[in-house]
Amino acid sequence: MDLVEHDLSAEQWAALEAAWGGCAYCGAIDRPLQRDCVLALSRGGRYTLANVVPACGSCNASKCNDEVTGWLRRKRLDEHAFLLRHLEIGAALALRFPARRPDAPTNPDTGTTGRSG
């Protein structure tokens, strides 16, 4: 895991929690949420804005490193609703947190790239 780049910031995690409003899988709002990789780390996933969703402990433990759509079907959760919402939230947050190319120079005063847009 130390060899994998993880770039989910605390601000991005807070935005994900707010956007989902509960567990991304079962919708639970009455328990603490954990960061869950939609594509599990063991399958090549990373802790990134596009791959992390908030999950209750029960869903996170149950999903483990399963492929998400198969797991949703086995648990009789709404696969279509999850995938649609994941796409919508991902698109909205990608606009709010544009990806920085690894080769882009960073302005040390602002922590942003020198490019606009």
Side-chain angles (χ1 to χ4, degrees):
M1 188 147 126
D2 291 339
L3 301 176
V4 177
E5 180 183 340
H6 305 285
D7 63 3
L8 184 71
S9 71
E11 183 182 10
Q12 290 170 330
W13 171 242
L16 280 166
E17 284 186 298
W20 282 96
C23 177
Y25 303 123
C26 73
I29 58 172
D30 61 343
R31 55 196 82 159
L33 299 173
Q34 305 169 353
R35 292 172 176 94
D36 182 58
C37 290
V38 175
L39 177 63
L41 295 172
S42 64
R43 295 175 180 263
R46 300 181 303 135
Y47 283 100
T48 63
L49 183 62
N51 191 48
V52 170
V53 296
C56 67
S58 177
C59 283
N60 197 4
S62 173
K63 181 178 160 282
C64 191
N65 66 348
D66 287 350
E67 188 275 326
V68 70
T69 56
W71 174 79
L72 287 164
R73 280 184 235 128
R74 283 191 304 281
K75 295 294 283 184
R76 299 180 190 268
L77 296 169
D78 192 338
E79 173 189 3
H80 177 69
F82 167 79
L83 293 172
L84 182 59
R85 190 132 188 252
H86 186 252
L87 181 65
E88 291 169 349
I89 289 171
L93 293 181
L95 292 173
R96 181 172 165 191
F97 300 101
R100 186 177 78 81
R101 286 191 2 225
D103 62 339
T106 301
N107 180 330
D109 296 326
T110 65
T112 60
T113 62
R115 296 186 311 262
S116 61

